[in-house]
Amino acid sequence: MDNFTTTGFRGDDQYVASEDLLSTVNIAMALEKPLLVKGEPGTGKTKLAEAIAHALGKKLIIWNIKSTTKAQDGLYVYDVVQRLYDSQFGTSGVEDIAKYIKLGKLGDAFTSDEQVVLLIDEIDKADIEFPNDLLWELDKMEFNIPETGETITAKKRPVVIITSNAEKELPDAFLRRCIFHYIEFPDQAQMKEIIKVHFENLDEKLLSQAMAAFYMIREIGNIDKKPSTSELIDWIRALSTSGVDPDKIKKEIPFAGVLLKKDKDLVTLAKNLR
C-alpha cells in the first residue's frame, strides 16, 4: 500500500510510467470513470492495470476480449443446456434457475466484497457494438438478470482500466464516459529505466549498443512490424546469455529474429545493414 498515498498512484518498482500517465490514472480514479488506454503493442497498457492492482493491494480481474466476445459474456451466462440435461436425468433443484447462472468478469467485479481492479483488455478486438452494449453497466455499475429477476449492483465500484490497440475506432458515446490516455512509445531514457527493472548488473556497453540498434531498426521506414519493449527485453537477454561482443551488435544485429517476426522485415533489415 506504500504506493497509494495521499498523492495517489505513483507506480511501483516493476512499472516505469511517465508523470502524465500517473496523473491521468489518478484523475480517472478520483472521478470514478473508466480509464481508456491506447498505444501500440508493447507500451505497457496491460502491465499498467497489473501495477495499479499491485500498488493498491487489490485483486486484479482480467477480461480478455476476442473477436467473438459479446458484452453479455462479461455480465452472466445462463446455462440452459445444463439445466435441460439435469431435468432429463431427474436431478433435483432444476427449478432453481439461479443454480445455472454463472457470473462473468464484470459480474465478479461487481459482487466482490472488496474493491477490485477490472481490466477490459483489447476492447477494439470485439464487434463495434460491444462498447455501446456496456454503456449502462459501466455508467450505473449495475445490470439485470431477467431469468431470476435479480439486479446485480456493484458493492464497491471497481477501478476500470480498458486497453485498445486502436485497431478500430470506438463509439463516441462510449468515449464520452471514459478518461483517455495515449501511451507514447518510450524514449531512450525511459526505455533504459524499463530495461534496468528487468536486469541486474547488465553490461553498460551491451545495453548502449542494443538500445542504439533497437531504435535504429524502429526508424527504418518500411519495417512492417516494429519491435516492441517486450521484444527488446528478450533480445537483450539473448545477447547477454550468448556472450555476444557488444561491438558487433549494431553492425550485425545478432538474433534478429527475436526482434523482427516477419520475413519481409528481416529482408529489409538485411538490406539496411549492407
Side-chain angles (χ1 to χ4, degrees), residues 7 43 78 91 112 137 147 170 182 184 217 223 250 256 266 271:
T7 58
T43 49
Y78 170 33
T91 304
S112 174
E137 289 77 13
E147 289 83 358
L170 299 173
Y182 185 87
E184 298 286 349
I217 292 171
I223 290 290
K250 192 172 180 182
L266 289 169
K271 289 178 180 178

Side-chain angles (χ1 to χ4, degrees), residues 110 131-144 177:
F110 284 8
N132 280 336
D133 290 342
L134 287 178
L135 290 179
W136 174 271
E137 289 77 13
L138 291 178
D139 198 23
K140 302 299 182 182
M141 286 287 144
E142 66 177 33
F143 63 89
N144 296 317
R177 288 165 169 79

